[in-house]
Protein backbone atom coordinates (compact mmCIF):
# COMPACT_ATOMS: atom_id res chain seq x y z
CA UNK A 1 0.00 0.00 0.00
CA UNK A 2 1.52 3.34 -0.97
CA UNK A 3 1.18 6.54 1.07
CA UNK A 4 -1.35 7.73 -1.47
CA UNK A 5 -3.57 4.72 -0.81
CA UNK A 6 -3.37 5.53 2.85
CA UNK A 7 -5.07 8.88 2.28
CA UNK A 8 -7.53 7.37 -0.16
CA UNK A 9 -8.46 4.77 2.39
CA UNK A 10 -9.62 7.54 4.67
CA UNK A 11 -11.98 9.02 2.14
CA UNK A 12 -15.56 7.95 1.66
CA UNK A 13 -15.40 4.51 0.13
CA UNK A 14 -16.67 3.93 -3.38
CA UNK A 15 -19.91 1.97 -3.65
CA UNK A 16 -18.85 -1.44 -2.46
CA UNK A 17 -18.65 -4.29 -4.92
CA UNK A 18 -20.56 -6.51 -2.52
CA UNK A 19 -23.67 -4.41 -3.16
CA UNK A 20 -23.38 -5.07 -6.87
CA UNK A 21 -22.90 -8.76 -6.16
CA UNK A 22 -26.18 -8.86 -4.28
CA UNK A 23 -28.14 -6.97 -6.93
CA UNK A 24 -26.78 -9.07 -9.76
CA UNK A 25 -27.56 -12.28 -7.90
CA UNK A 26 -31.11 -11.23 -7.14
CA UNK A 27 -31.81 -10.55 -10.79
CA UNK A 28 -30.21 -13.65 -12.25
CA UNK A 29 -31.75 -15.96 -9.68
CA UNK A 30 -35.22 -14.49 -10.17
CA UNK A 31 -34.94 -15.64 -13.77
CA UNK A 32 -33.36 -18.98 -13.08
CA UNK A 33 -36.04 -19.85 -10.55
CA UNK A 34 -38.73 -19.25 -13.15
CA UNK A 35 -36.98 -21.57 -15.60
CA UNK A 36 -36.90 -24.24 -12.93
CA UNK A 37 -40.62 -24.79 -12.72
CA UNK A 38 -41.44 -23.96 -16.30
CA UNK A 39 -39.16 -24.88 -19.13
CA UNK A 40 -37.43 -21.78 -20.41
CA UNK A 41 -39.66 -20.68 -23.24
CA UNK A 42 -37.43 -17.99 -24.70
CA UNK A 43 -35.56 -20.20 -27.16
CA UNK A 44 -38.85 -21.54 -28.50
CA UNK A 45 -40.39 -18.08 -28.64
CA UNK A 46 -37.47 -16.94 -30.74
CA UNK A 47 -37.84 -19.88 -33.10
CA UNK A 48 -41.59 -19.40 -33.44
CA UNK A 49 -41.29 -15.70 -34.19
CA UNK A 50 -38.71 -16.35 -36.85
CA UNK A 51 -40.88 -19.12 -38.29
CA UNK A 52 -43.85 -16.75 -38.57
CA UNK A 53 -41.82 -14.18 -40.42
CA UNK A 54 -40.40 -16.90 -42.65
CA UNK A 55 -43.92 -17.75 -43.78
CA UNK A 56 -44.20 -14.36 -45.45
CA UNK A 57 -40.68 -13.69 -46.66
CA UNK A 58 -37.71 -15.87 -47.38
CA UNK A 59 -35.18 -14.99 -44.74
CA UNK A 60 -31.63 -16.00 -44.21
CA UNK A 61 -31.39 -17.72 -40.80
CA UNK A 62 -27.86 -16.38 -40.50
CA UNK A 63 -29.22 -12.85 -40.58
CA UNK A 64 -31.38 -13.11 -37.50
CA UNK A 65 -30.08 -11.19 -34.55
CA UNK A 66 -31.45 -11.97 -31.13
CA UNK A 67 -30.77 -9.86 -28.05
CA UNK A 68 -32.09 -10.63 -24.62
CA UNK A 69 -31.76 -8.32 -21.66
CA UNK A 70 -32.80 -9.79 -18.34
CA UNK A 71 -33.72 -6.99 -16.02
CA UNK A 72 -35.12 -6.82 -12.53
CA UNK A 73 -38.71 -5.78 -13.25
CA UNK A 74 -38.85 -6.25 -16.95
CA UNK A 75 -36.95 -8.17 -19.58
CA UNK A 76 -36.74 -7.37 -23.24
CA UNK A 77 -36.30 -9.72 -26.11
CA UNK A 78 -35.35 -7.97 -29.35
CA UNK A 79 -35.31 -9.95 -32.55
CA UNK A 80 -33.91 -8.27 -35.61
CA UNK A 81 -34.56 -10.04 -38.88
CA UNK A 82 -32.97 -8.84 -42.03
CA UNK A 83 -35.48 -9.02 -44.89
CA UNK A 84 -34.09 -9.64 -48.34
CA UNK A 85 -34.99 -7.67 -51.46
CA UNK A 86 -34.91 -4.14 -52.74
CA UNK A 87 -37.07 -2.73 -49.98
CA UNK A 88 -35.50 -1.30 -46.77
CA UNK A 89 -33.51 -4.14 -45.34
CA UNK A 90 -34.61 -4.47 -41.77
CA UNK A 91 -37.64 -5.02 -39.63
CA UNK A 92 -37.79 -5.48 -35.91
CA UNK A 93 -39.90 -7.70 -33.76
CA UNK A 94 -39.85 -7.00 -30.10
CA UNK A 95 -41.52 -8.90 -27.35
CA UNK A 96 -41.78 -8.24 -23.69
CA UNK A 97 -41.01 -11.46 -21.93
CA UNK A 98 -40.64 -12.54 -18.37
CA UNK A 99 -41.70 -10.40 -15.49
CA UNK A 100 -39.71 -11.13 -12.37
CA UNK B 1 -34.17 -45.13 10.92
CA UNK B 2 -30.89 -43.45 10.10
CA UNK B 3 -30.98 -39.93 8.73
CA UNK B 4 -29.20 -39.44 5.42
CA UNK B 5 -27.54 -36.03 5.11
CA UNK B 6 -25.93 -34.79 1.91
CA UNK B 7 -23.23 -32.12 2.05
CA UNK B 8 -23.51 -30.39 -1.29
CA UNK B 9 -22.87 -27.09 -3.08
CA UNK B 10 -22.87 -27.28 -6.85
CA UNK B 11 -19.68 -25.26 -7.00
CA UNK B 12 -16.33 -26.92 -6.38
CA UNK B 13 -13.83 -26.10 -3.69
CA UNK B 14 -16.19 -24.34 -1.32
CA UNK B 15 -15.56 -26.61 1.67
CA UNK B 16 -17.83 -29.66 1.33
CA UNK B 17 -15.19 -32.21 2.29
CA UNK B 18 -13.89 -30.05 5.13
CA UNK B 19 -17.48 -29.74 6.33
CA UNK B 20 -18.33 -33.44 5.92
CA UNK B 21 -15.30 -34.44 7.97
CA UNK B 22 -15.98 -31.85 10.68
CA UNK B 23 -19.70 -32.48 11.03
CA UNK B 24 -19.39 -36.27 10.92
CA UNK B 25 -16.75 -36.10 13.64
CA UNK B 26 -18.86 -33.66 15.65
CA UNK B 27 -21.93 -35.88 15.47
CA UNK B 28 -19.90 -38.89 16.61
CA UNK B 29 -18.41 -36.84 19.46
CA UNK B 30 -21.98 -36.02 20.46
CA UNK B 31 -22.63 -39.74 20.79
CA UNK B 32 -24.35 -40.35 17.45
CA UNK B 33 -23.14 -43.28 15.43
CA UNK B 34 -22.07 -41.68 12.19
CA UNK B 35 -20.68 -42.86 8.88
CA UNK B 36 -19.41 -40.50 6.22
CA UNK B 37 -19.33 -41.61 2.58
CA UNK B 38 -17.07 -40.07 -0.05
CA UNK B 39 -19.06 -39.81 -3.29
CA UNK B 40 -16.25 -38.09 -5.18
CA UNK B 41 -15.35 -41.20 -7.17
CA UNK B 42 -12.09 -40.65 -9.04
CA UNK B 43 -11.06 -37.77 -6.79
CA UNK B 44 -10.97 -39.35 -3.38
CA UNK B 45 -10.04 -36.84 -0.68
CA UNK B 46 -12.14 -37.39 2.40
CA UNK B 47 -9.71 -40.11 3.50
CA UNK B 48 -6.91 -37.54 3.62
CA UNK B 49 -8.95 -34.96 5.50
CA UNK B 50 -10.02 -37.64 7.99
CA UNK B 51 -6.43 -38.88 8.27
CA UNK B 52 -7.22 -42.49 7.28
CA UNK B 53 -5.61 -42.55 3.83
CA UNK B 54 -3.14 -45.23 4.82
CA UNK B 55 -5.87 -47.57 5.96
CA UNK B 56 -7.91 -47.62 2.75
CA UNK B 57 -8.13 -51.11 1.29
CA UNK B 58 -11.52 -51.29 -0.36
CA UNK B 59 -13.87 -48.57 -1.47
CA UNK B 60 -17.50 -47.93 -2.30
CA UNK B 61 -17.11 -49.18 -5.87
CA UNK B 62 -15.64 -52.48 -4.68
CA UNK B 63 -18.69 -52.90 -2.48
CA UNK B 64 -21.15 -52.06 -5.25
CA UNK B 65 -19.45 -54.46 -7.64
CA UNK B 66 -19.41 -57.23 -5.08
CA UNK B 67 -15.62 -57.33 -4.77
CA UNK B 68 -15.69 -56.55 -1.05
CA UNK B 69 -18.16 -56.63 1.81
CA UNK B 70 -19.37 -53.35 3.23
CA UNK B 71 -17.82 -54.18 6.56
CA UNK B 72 -14.44 -54.71 4.95
CA UNK B 73 -14.54 -51.36 3.22
CA UNK B 74 -15.65 -49.32 6.23
CA UNK B 75 -12.80 -47.67 8.11
CA UNK B 76 -13.45 -47.10 11.79
CA UNK B 77 -11.95 -43.91 13.18
CA UNK B 78 -9.32 -44.49 15.86
CA UNK B 79 -9.78 -41.14 17.61
CA UNK B 80 -13.54 -40.95 17.87
CA UNK B 81 -15.87 -43.78 18.81
CA UNK B 82 -18.84 -44.50 16.59
CA UNK B 83 -17.32 -42.81 13.54
CA UNK B 84 -16.66 -44.61 10.26
CA UNK B 85 -15.59 -43.65 6.76
CA UNK B 86 -16.51 -45.27 3.47
CA UNK B 87 -13.92 -44.10 0.93
CA UNK B 88 -14.46 -43.37 -2.75
CA UNK B 89 -12.61 -45.20 -5.44
CA UNK B 90 -9.55 -43.48 -6.82
CA UNK B 91 -9.25 -45.44 -10.05
CA UNK B 92 -12.78 -45.90 -11.38
CA UNK B 93 -15.05 -43.22 -12.67
CA UNK B 94 -18.46 -42.07 -11.53
CA UNK B 95 -20.25 -44.52 -13.83
CA UNK B 96 -19.18 -47.30 -11.50
CA UNK B 97 -21.75 -45.95 -9.02
CA UNK B 98 -25.30 -47.15 -9.52
CA UNK B 99 -28.49 -46.05 -7.83
CA UNK B 100 -29.31 -49.62 -6.83
CA UNK B 101 -25.82 -50.18 -5.45
CA UNK B 102 -25.91 -47.00 -3.39
CA UNK B 103 -29.42 -47.82 -2.19
CA UNK B 104 -28.24 -51.16 -0.84
CA UNK B 105 -25.28 -49.61 0.92
CA UNK B 106 -27.41 -46.94 2.56
CA UNK B 107 -30.00 -49.47 3.59
CA UNK B 108 -27.38 -51.64 5.23
CA UNK B 109 -25.58 -48.74 6.93
CA UNK B 110 -28.92 -47.56 8.25
CA UNK B 111 -29.09 -50.61 10.49
CA UNK B 112 -25.93 -49.65 12.36
CA UNK B 113 -25.70 -45.89 12.22
CA UNK B 114 -27.77 -42.88 13.31
CA UNK B 115 -26.42 -40.58 10.63
CA UNK B 116 -25.14 -41.25 7.13
CA UNK B 117 -23.30 -38.24 5.70
CA UNK B 118 -22.72 -38.06 1.96
CA UNK B 119 -19.83 -35.87 0.82
CA UNK B 120 -20.94 -34.81 -2.66
CA UNK B 121 -18.60 -34.09 -5.55
CA UNK B 122 -18.93 -30.70 -7.23
CA UNK B 123 -21.24 -30.20 -10.18
CA UNK B 124 -24.72 -31.50 -10.90
CA UNK B 125 -23.72 -34.62 -12.80
CA UNK B 126 -24.19 -38.24 -11.87
CA UNK B 127 -21.95 -38.34 -8.80
CA UNK B 128 -23.58 -35.28 -7.25
CA UNK B 129 -27.08 -36.49 -8.14
CA UNK B 130 -26.45 -39.87 -6.50
CA UNK B 131 -24.98 -38.21 -3.41
CA UNK B 132 -28.18 -36.23 -2.87
CA UNK B 133 -30.71 -38.77 -4.15
CA UNK B 134 -31.30 -40.56 -0.84
CA UNK B 135 -31.03 -37.47 1.37
CA UNK B 136 -33.44 -36.64 4.16
CA UNK B 137 -31.54 -33.46 4.91
CA UNK B 138 -29.06 -31.32 2.99
CA UNK B 139 -26.29 -29.09 4.20
CA UNK B 140 -25.72 -26.58 1.43
CA UNK B 141 -22.19 -25.24 1.69
CA UNK B 142 -21.91 -21.72 0.29
CA UNK B 143 -19.12 -19.19 0.09
CA UNK B 144 -20.09 -15.49 0.17
CA UNK B 145 -19.36 -15.06 -3.51
CA UNK B 146 -21.66 -14.71 -6.56
CA UNK B 147 -20.93 -17.98 -8.34
CA UNK B 148 -21.16 -20.05 -5.18
CA UNK B 149 -24.51 -18.49 -4.19
CA UNK B 150 -25.92 -19.03 -7.65
CA UNK B 151 -24.81 -22.67 -7.71
CA UNK B 152 -26.28 -23.23 -4.25
CA UNK B 153 -29.59 -21.90 -5.50
CA UNK B 154 -29.36 -24.28 -8.42
CA UNK B 155 -28.60 -27.26 -6.20
CA UNK B 156 -31.57 -26.35 -3.98
CA UNK B 157 -33.74 -26.65 -7.09
CA UNK B 158 -32.21 -30.03 -7.87
CA UNK B 159 -32.83 -31.23 -4.30
CA UNK B 160 -36.47 -30.34 -4.58
CA UNK B 161 -36.94 -31.97 -7.97
CA UNK B 162 -34.50 -34.86 -8.34
CA UNK B 163 -34.15 -36.37 -4.88
CA UNK B 164 -35.94 -39.57 -3.94
CA UNK B 165 -38.16 -37.59 -1.58
CA UNK B 166 -39.14 -35.27 -4.42
CA UNK B 167 -39.78 -38.15 -6.79
CA UNK B 168 -41.94 -39.94 -4.26
CA UNK B 169 -43.68 -36.68 -3.33
CA UNK B 170 -42.85 -37.15 0.34
CA UNK B 171 -41.93 -34.34 2.75
CA UNK B 172 -39.24 -32.31 1.10
CA UNK B 173 -35.55 -32.63 1.90
CA UNK B 174 -34.79 -30.46 4.92
CA UNK B 175 -32.34 -27.73 3.93
CA UNK B 176 -29.60 -26.14 5.99
CA UNK B 177 -27.39 -23.27 4.87
CA UNK B 178 -23.76 -23.38 5.94
CA UNK B 179 -21.79 -20.30 4.93
CA UNK B 180 -18.09 -21.06 4.90
CA UNK B 181 -14.87 -19.11 4.34
CA UNK B 182 -16.58 -16.02 5.69
CA UNK B 183 -14.23 -13.09 6.18
CA UNK B 184 -15.79 -10.38 8.37
CA UNK B 185 -12.97 -7.96 7.56
CA UNK B 186 -13.68 -8.14 3.85
CA UNK B 187 -17.39 -7.93 4.52
CA UNK B 188 -16.86 -4.74 6.49
CA UNK B 189 -14.86 -3.28 3.64
CA UNK B 190 -17.75 -4.06 1.30
CA UNK B 191 -15.67 -6.53 -0.70
CA UNK B 192 -17.61 -9.62 0.26
CA UNK B 193 -21.31 -10.44 0.40
CA UNK B 194 -22.73 -9.99 3.89
CA UNK B 195 -24.20 -12.94 5.73
CA UNK B 196 -27.63 -11.27 5.69
CA UNK B 197 -27.44 -10.91 1.91
CA UNK B 198 -26.65 -14.58 1.38
CA UNK B 199 -29.44 -15.54 3.77
CA UNK B 200 -31.91 -13.23 2.10
CA UNK B 201 -31.11 -14.56 -1.36
CA UNK B 202 -31.11 -18.27 -0.58
CA UNK B 203 -33.84 -18.03 2.06
CA UNK B 204 -33.22 -21.32 3.86
CA UNK B 205 -32.49 -21.81 7.58
CA UNK B 206 -28.95 -20.99 8.64
CA UNK B 207 -27.02 -23.80 10.29
CA UNK B 208 -23.81 -21.88 10.80
CA UNK B 209 -21.10 -19.59 9.55
CA UNK B 210 -17.54 -20.89 9.37
CA UNK B 211 -14.97 -18.11 9.19
CA UNK B 212 -12.06 -18.14 6.78
CA UNK B 213 -9.41 -19.55 9.03
CA UNK B 214 -5.87 -20.83 8.65
CA UNK B 215 -6.60 -23.69 11.04
CA UNK B 216 -8.47 -25.45 8.20
CA UNK B 217 -5.32 -25.81 6.12
CA UNK B 218 -3.36 -26.89 9.16
CA UNK B 219 -6.00 -29.51 9.95
CA UNK B 220 -5.88 -30.89 6.42
CA UNK B 221 -2.08 -31.00 6.54
CA UNK B 222 -2.24 -33.25 9.56
CA UNK B 223 -5.30 -35.27 8.61
CA UNK B 224 -7.32 -34.15 11.60
CA UNK B 225 -10.88 -32.87 11.08
CA UNK B 226 -10.78 -29.19 12.07
CA UNK B 227 -13.51 -29.67 14.66
CA UNK B 228 -10.93 -31.53 16.78
CA UNK B 229 -8.90 -28.30 16.92
CA UNK B 230 -11.01 -26.91 19.71
CA UNK B 231 -8.89 -23.75 20.02
CA UNK B 232 -9.51 -22.67 16.46
CA UNK B 233 -12.39 -20.41 15.45
CA UNK B 234 -13.31 -22.72 12.55
CA UNK B 235 -13.35 -25.71 14.90
CA UNK B 236 -15.59 -23.87 17.35
CA UNK B 237 -17.89 -22.67 14.58
CA UNK B 238 -18.28 -26.25 13.33
CA UNK B 239 -18.98 -27.43 16.85
CA UNK B 240 -21.72 -24.82 17.15
CA UNK B 241 -23.17 -25.94 13.82
CA UNK B 242 -23.32 -29.54 15.04
CA UNK B 243 -25.01 -28.34 18.23
CA UNK B 244 -27.64 -26.48 16.22
CA UNK B 245 -28.13 -29.48 13.99
CA UNK B 246 -28.94 -31.50 17.09
CA UNK B 247 -31.43 -28.89 18.23
CA UNK B 248 -29.46 -26.57 20.49
CA UNK B 249 -30.01 -22.86 20.18
CA UNK B 250 -26.66 -21.15 19.92
CA UNK B 251 -25.78 -17.61 18.86
CA UNK B 252 -23.70 -17.22 15.70
CA UNK B 253 -20.13 -16.26 16.53
CA UNK B 254 -17.10 -14.91 14.69
CA UNK B 255 -19.14 -12.54 12.54
CA UNK B 256 -17.41 -9.33 13.59
CA UNK B 257 -14.19 -7.95 12.06
CA UNK B 258 -10.93 -7.72 13.99
CA UNK B 259 -10.31 -4.53 15.92
CA UNK B 260 -9.50 -1.57 13.67
CA UNK B 261 -5.97 -1.92 12.40
CA UNK B 262 -3.57 0.59 13.94
CA UNK B 263 -1.99 3.45 12.01
CA UNK B 264 1.26 1.58 11.45
CA UNK B 265 -0.61 -1.48 10.22
CA UNK B 266 -2.45 0.65 7.72
CA UNK B 267 0.68 2.50 6.63
CA UNK B 268 2.64 -0.66 6.01
CA UNK B 269 -0.28 -2.59 4.67
CA UNK B 270 -0.37 -5.72 6.79
CA UNK B 271 -3.32 -7.89 6.02
CA UNK B 272 -5.28 -9.56 8.77
CA UNK B 273 -3.45 -12.69 9.88
N1 LIG C 1 -13.16 -22.08 6.60
C1 LIG C 1 -12.10 -22.21 5.80
N2 LIG C 1 -11.03 -21.38 5.96
C2 LIG C 1 -9.95 -21.51 5.14
N3 LIG C 1 -9.84 -22.40 4.18
C3 LIG C 1 -10.86 -23.25 3.95
C4 LIG C 1 -12.05 -23.19 4.75
N4 LIG C 1 -12.90 -24.16 4.31
C5 LIG C 1 -12.27 -24.78 3.29
N5 LIG C 1 -11.05 -24.25 3.08
C6 LIG C 1 -10.07 -24.66 2.05
O1 LIG C 1 -10.71 -24.66 0.79
C7 LIG C 1 -10.22 -25.70 -0.03
C8 LIG C 1 -11.37 -26.54 -0.53
O2 LIG C 1 -11.99 -27.20 0.57
P1 LIG C 1 -12.72 -28.60 0.39
O3 LIG C 1 -11.82 -29.60 -0.23
O4 LIG C 1 -13.35 -28.93 1.69
O5 LIG C 1 -13.84 -28.17 -0.66
P2 LIG C 1 -14.81 -29.11 -1.51
O6 LIG C 1 -16.06 -28.34 -1.65
O7 LIG C 1 -14.90 -30.45 -0.90
O8 LIG C 1 -14.05 -29.21 -2.90
P3 LIG C 1 -14.44 -30.18 -4.13
O9 LIG C 1 -15.60 -29.53 -4.80
O10 LIG C 1 -13.21 -30.19 -4.98
O11 LIG C 1 -14.78 -31.52 -3.54
C9 LIG C 1 -9.23 -26.48 0.82
O12 LIG C 1 -7.94 -26.07 0.49
C10 LIG C 1 -9.59 -26.09 2.24
O13 LIG C 1 -8.46 -26.15 3.08
MG1 LIG D 1 -14.63 -32.42 -1.77
Amino acid sequence: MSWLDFFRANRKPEPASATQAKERLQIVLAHERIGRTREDFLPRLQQDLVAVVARYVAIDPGKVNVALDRGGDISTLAIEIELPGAKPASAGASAEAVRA
Amino acid sequence: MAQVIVVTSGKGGVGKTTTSAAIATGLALAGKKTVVIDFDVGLRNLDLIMGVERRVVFDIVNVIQGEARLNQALIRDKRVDGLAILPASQTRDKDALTKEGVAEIIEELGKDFDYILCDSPAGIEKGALLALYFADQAIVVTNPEVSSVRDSDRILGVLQSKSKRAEEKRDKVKEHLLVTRYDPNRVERGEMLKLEDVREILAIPLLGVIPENESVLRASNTGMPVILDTESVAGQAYKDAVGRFLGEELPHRFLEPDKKPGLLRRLFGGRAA
Side-chain angles (χ1 to χ4, degrees), chain B:
Chain B
M1 245 329 253
Q3 282 281 303
V4 181
I5 306 160
V6 62
V7 178
T8 185
S9 67
K11 187 170 159 60
V14 297
K16 292 178 293 296
T17 301
T18 305
T19 296
S20 300
I23 296 212
T25 306
L27 286 169
L29 284 171
K32 309 288 180 193
K33 296 190 77 181
T34 303
V35 56
V36 53
I37 307 177
D38 189 348
F39 272 84
D40 208 341
V41 172
L43 292 169
R44 164 160 95 210
N45 270 324
L46 183 67
D47 57 336
L48 273 177
I49 303 302
M50 297 288 297
V52 300
E53 72 280 3
R54 291 203 262 171
R55 298 168 58 203
V56 177
V57 185
F58 297 114
D59 57 60
I60 185 169
V61 173
N62 295 135
V63 178
I64 288 179
Q65 308 207 328
E67 297 153 358
R69 303 256 305 281
L70 181 56
N71 250 318
Q72 298 173 305
L74 276 187
I75 302 173
R76 298 181 199 269
D77 194 274
K78 286 187 172 159
R79 293 161 298 214
V80 183
D81 267 352
L83 177 61
I85 299 110
L86 181 58
S89 167
Q90 186 67 311
T91 48
R92 321 280 184 95
D93 65 18
K94 296 192 168 41
D95 291 331
L97 289 182
T98 61
K99 199 178 267 183
E100 299 71 32
V102 175
E104 266 177 49
I105 288 179
I106 286 187
E107 157 112 48
E108 194 156 339
L109 289 173
K111 296 176 193 156
D112 291 336
F113 291 91
D114 301 314
Y115 289 106
I116 301 170
L117 256 76
C118 303
D119 178 16
S120 174
I124 49 170
E125 306 293 309
K126 186 169 183 190
L129 291 179
L130 268 177
L132 66 78
Y133 186 71
F134 297 95
D136 301 303
Q137 306 194 41
I139 296 176
V140 178
V141 179
T142 308
N143 292 166
E145 179 262 322
V146 284
S147 50
S148 175
V149 175
R150 180 200 218 168
D151 291 358
S152 291
D153 194 76
R154 182 83 197 278
I155 211 78
L156 286 168
V158 173
L159 276 164
Q160 302 317 342
S161 61
K162 302 224 166 104
S163 61
K164 188 157 185 274
R165 278 178 174 267
E167 279 183 7
E168 293 174 354
K169 302 205 158 46
R170 287 189 288 147
D171 289 349
K172 65 176 212 162
V173 177
K174 188 173 178 197
E175 306 156 331
H176 306 269
L177 173 63
L178 188 74
V179 176
T180 64
R181 311 201 68 164
Y182 193 69
D183 186 339
N185 292 301
R186 303 195 70 181
V187 169
E188 188 182 62
R189 294 200 294 271
E191 297 169 8
M192 184 180 265
L193 281 165
K194 288 200 281 287
L195 174 63
E196 294 80 68
D197 294 344
V198 178
R199 286 181 80 166
E200 181 189 330
I201 291 167
L202 292 178
I204 61 173
L206 180 67
L207 183 65
V209 182
I210 313 300
E212 172 79 21
N213 189 212
E214 58 194 23
S215 67
V216 174
L217 181 57
R218 196 164 57 231
S220 74
N221 286 340
T222 56
M224 185 186 76
V226 70
I227 199 168
L228 293 175
D229 182 354
T230 52
E231 304 282 289
S232 70
V233 288
Q236 293 173 43
Y238 273 118
K239 182 157 190 288
D240 287 357
V242 171
R244 285 186 207 102
F245 188 85
L246 294 173
E248 279 177 71
E249 271 192 37
L250 300 165
H252 293 282
R253 298 192 276 166
F254 318 117
L255 303 180
E256 296 308 317
D258 303 338
K259 303 274 167 293
K260 278 266 176 291
L263 178 66
L264 284 177
R265 194 56 172 307
R266 268 191 285 170
L267 269 176
F268 297 107
R271 268 187 286 155

Side-chain angles (χ1 to χ4, degrees), chain A residues 46 49-51 53-54 57-67 78-85 87-93:
Chain A
Q46 290 166 18
L49 282 171
V50 173
V53 178
V57 269
I59 52 175
D60 175 354
K63 297 210 168 134
V64 176
N65 190 17
V66 177
I79 302 183
E80 205 177 87
I81 302 169
E82 200 176 301
L83 302 177
K87 283 275 167 189
S90 161

Side-chain angles (χ1 to χ4, degrees), chain A residues 40-98:
Chain A
D40 195 359
F41 59 87
L42 285 174
R44 276 182 294 128
L45 177 61
Q46 290 166 18
Q47 284 169 13
D48 288 354
L49 282 171
V50 173
V52 169
V53 178
R55 244 190 271 151
Y56 297 90
V57 269
I59 52 175
D60 175 354
K63 297 210 168 134
V64 176
N65 190 17
V66 177
L68 173 64
D69 186 13
R70 301 196 142 140
D73 297 325
I74 204 173
S75 297
T76 55
L77 172 68
I79 302 183
E80 205 177 87
I81 302 169
E82 200 176 301
L83 302 177
K87 283 275 167 189
S90 161
S94 189
E96 178 193 312
V98 199

